[in-house]
């Protein structure tokens, strides 16, 4: 069943199972296309309900720049947690975990298979393993950490302090790991306890039912080409207008939505500092770097996921026909192996 055919034929049947399917991978790796095609194949199990596991696609104002599923896709298969919150309303990992567990329960109750789709590794980890009970970090500590990270020495100074106070954490970090360094430093500064210690004590709730974990691993050159094409398509779809509307909201700069990849690059065009011809390659580069970080995270943090490589978009869908669906069908029929 090709993606186009899956989109054209959206019938389903009823049934019941407690299985959950997780589809992860870097941006532009074909996760949404796979989920939509998979939904058609799940008719025999009661149909599917596609649930968002991307930290930016949860925001209603970020349709184009986050490549959220189209209205046609959402009309074809029930989608949940896409465009659910306003950008004014920050969505934390814990909040998403609570929302998604409720959606999974509702899907099972209705006899549908929940299919979680996204590239936010921390979301999947929180769902599967729980969340470390780190206390709320005071605003002044957060502000200091981000201010210091933006200064001339960048994160090098923060990393040096971590190395002195918590060498076990620091040894696994490099100066380019800005977010991880800032987080580790602010937790240590605020609580006096290393982040790694907090993370050793995960707490629920978490997913308690069996899950089939699918990780898409596109070849780097093919993925970069897909990313470059996607960014060009965003311009044609009206991304500048979307970012202009975001700008007009005069949001608090600390809100997570403003960190969506591409926002800063296209905002610079609107403010007259960058030509569109310069902003497009910059947004492409920022997206490629983001995808690289995602690939690294999944390579190190998702060792037990079933991996499905592809080198071309056509091969990706062929892999679905030949490998991914049989893997998922076996899981739904027999449970995890």
């Amino acid at each position: 069943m090709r993606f186009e055919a899956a989109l054209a034929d959206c019938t389903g049947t009823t049934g019941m199972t407690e299985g959950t399917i997780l589809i992860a991978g870097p941006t532009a790796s074909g996760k949404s296309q796979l989920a939509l095609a998979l939904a058609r194949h799940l008719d025999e199990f009661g149909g599917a309900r596609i649930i968002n596991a991307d930290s930016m696609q949860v925001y209603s104002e970020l349709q184009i720049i986050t490549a959220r599923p189209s209205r046609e896709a959402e009309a074809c298969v029930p989608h949940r947690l896409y465009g659910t919150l306003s950008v004014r309303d920050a969505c934390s990992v814990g909040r998403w975990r609570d929302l998604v567990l409720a959606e999974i329960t509702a899907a099972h109750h209705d006899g549908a298979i929940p299919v979680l789709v996204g590239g936010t590794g921390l979301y999947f980890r929180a769902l599967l393993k729980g969340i470390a009970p780190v206390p709320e970090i005071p605003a002044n500590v957060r502000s200091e950490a981000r201010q210091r990270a933006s200064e001339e020495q960048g994160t090098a100074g923060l990393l040096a302090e971590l190395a002195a106070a918590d060498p076990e954490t620091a040894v696994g970090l490099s100066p380019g790991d800005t977010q991880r360094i800032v987080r580790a430093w602010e937790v240590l500064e605020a609580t006096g306890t290393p982040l790694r210690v907090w993370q050793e004590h995960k707490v629920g709730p978490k997913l308690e039912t069996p899950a089939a974990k699918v990780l898409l691993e596109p070849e780097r050159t093919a993925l970069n080409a897909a990313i470059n094409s996607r960014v060009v398509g965003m311009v044609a779809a009206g991304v500048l207008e979307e970012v202009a509307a975001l700008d007009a909201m005069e949001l608090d700069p600390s809100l997570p939505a403003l960190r969506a990849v591409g926002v800063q690059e296209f905002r610079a065009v609107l403010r007259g500092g960058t030509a569109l011809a310069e902003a497009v390659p910059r947004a492409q580069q920022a997206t490629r770097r983001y995808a690289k970080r995602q690939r690294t995270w999944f390579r190190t943090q998702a060792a037990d996921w079933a991996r499905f490589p592809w080198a071309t978009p056509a091969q990706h869908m062929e892999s679905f026909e030949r490998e991914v669906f049989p893997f998922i069908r076996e899981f739904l029929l027999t449970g995890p192996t």
Side-chain angles (χ1 to χ4, degrees):
M1 174 68 66
R2 298 297 182 192
F3 168 60
E4 292 81 2
L7 185 59
D9 184 357
C10 304
T11 61
T13 59
T14 60
M16 171 62 77
T17 180
E18 292 299 311
T20 299
I21 298 166
L22 313 180
I23 299 176
T27 187
S29 60
K31 300 182 296 295
S32 295
Q33 293 94 325
L34 173 58
L36 192 62
L38 173 63
R40 177 61 182 86
H41 281 277
L42 292 178
D43 284 352
E44 66 176 293
F45 297 100
R49 191 165 297 175
I50 298 174
I51 305 174
N52 174 40
D54 182 280
S55 63
M56 293 299 161
Q57 290 187 347
V58 72
Y59 296 114
S60 61
E61 296 89 346
L62 302 183
Q63 171 78 46
I64 299 170
I65 206 162
T66 64
R68 216 165 68 211
S70 67
R71 291 185 178 86
E72 291 79 9
E74 292 189 357
C76 176
V77 180
H79 283 61
R80 299 290 186 267
L81 301 185
Y82 290 92
T84 302
L85 303 177
S86 167
V87 291
R88 297 186 187 278
D89 193 5
C91 186
S92 66
V93 176
R95 183 176 184 183
W96 174 85
R97 186 269 317 272
D98 293 342
L99 290 170
V100 81
L101 285 174
E103 291 291 350
I104 291 171
T105 298
H108 285 151
H109 180 270
D110 294 341
I113 303 293
V115 181
L116 275 65
V117 184
T120 304
L122 291 178
Y123 276 15
F124 285 112
R125 185 167 70 181
L127 177 67
L128 295 170
K129 298 183 178 180
I131 299 176
V134 182
E136 185 69 24
I137 306 301
N140 64 310
V141 176
R142 286 187 177 277
S143 178
E144 180 183 355
R146 282 150 183 74
Q147 176 61 36
R148 292 186 56 184
S150 67
E151 293 173 354
E152 185 176 350
Q153 289 190 342
T155 54
L158 296 178
L159 183 56
E161 291 183 24
L162 275 175
D166 181 19
E168 289 185 56
T169 295
V171 73
L173 299 171
S174 66
D177 295 325
T178 302
Q179 287 186 317
R180 293 175 64 196
I181 291 170
V182 167
R183 179 59 173 165
W185 185 89
E186 69 182 16
V187 170
L188 183 62
E189 179 73 10
T191 69
T193 300
L195 178 59
R196 60 180 173 77
V197 175
W198 289 108
Q199 290 176 337
E200 290 170 359
H201 302 283
K202 303 288 187 183
V203 295
K206 59 183 180 179
L207 183 66
E208 301 293 350
T209 55
K213 294 174 282 189
V214 172
L215 178 61
L216 300 185
E217 291 190 319
E219 187 272 329
R220 184 172 61 85
T221 301
L223 180 63
N224 288 344
I227 288 170
N228 292 344
S229 177
R230 172 178 284 184
V231 173
V232 171
M234 287 178 179
V235 176
V239 73
L240 287 176
E241 291 79 2
E242 184 171 273
V243 174
L246 196 66
D247 236 9
M249 297 177 71
E250 299 183 349
L251 299 169
D252 182 334
S254 67
L255 285 169
L258 295 181
R259 297 197 294 271
V261 178
V263 166
Q264 296 307 319
E265 288 76 14
F266 289 117
R267 174 181 272 178
V269 176
L270 298 170
R271 296 181 176 181
T274 304
L276 181 59
E278 298 174 358
V280 169
R282 289 180 183 178
Q284 290 170 331
Q285 182 182 54
T287 309
R288 292 194 302 269
R289 288 175 174 170
Y290 174 58
K292 182 179 179 180
R293 294 194 299 272
Q294 290 176 300
R295 288 163 65 97
T296 299
W297 194 95
F298 285 116
R299 185 173 63 249
T300 59
Q301 303 292 324
D304 62 337
W305 288 55
R307 286 165 153 74
F308 296 93
W310 60 267
T312 68
Q315 187 185 73
H316 161 55
M317 295 312 297
E318 290 170 4
S319 173
F320 164 72
E321 298 288 337
R322 186 178 62 256
E323 300 174 6
V324 181
F325 181 66
F327 166 77
I328 291 173
R329 190 171 189 277
E330 179 73 11
F331 161 78
L332 292 174
L333 290 172
T334 65
T337 58

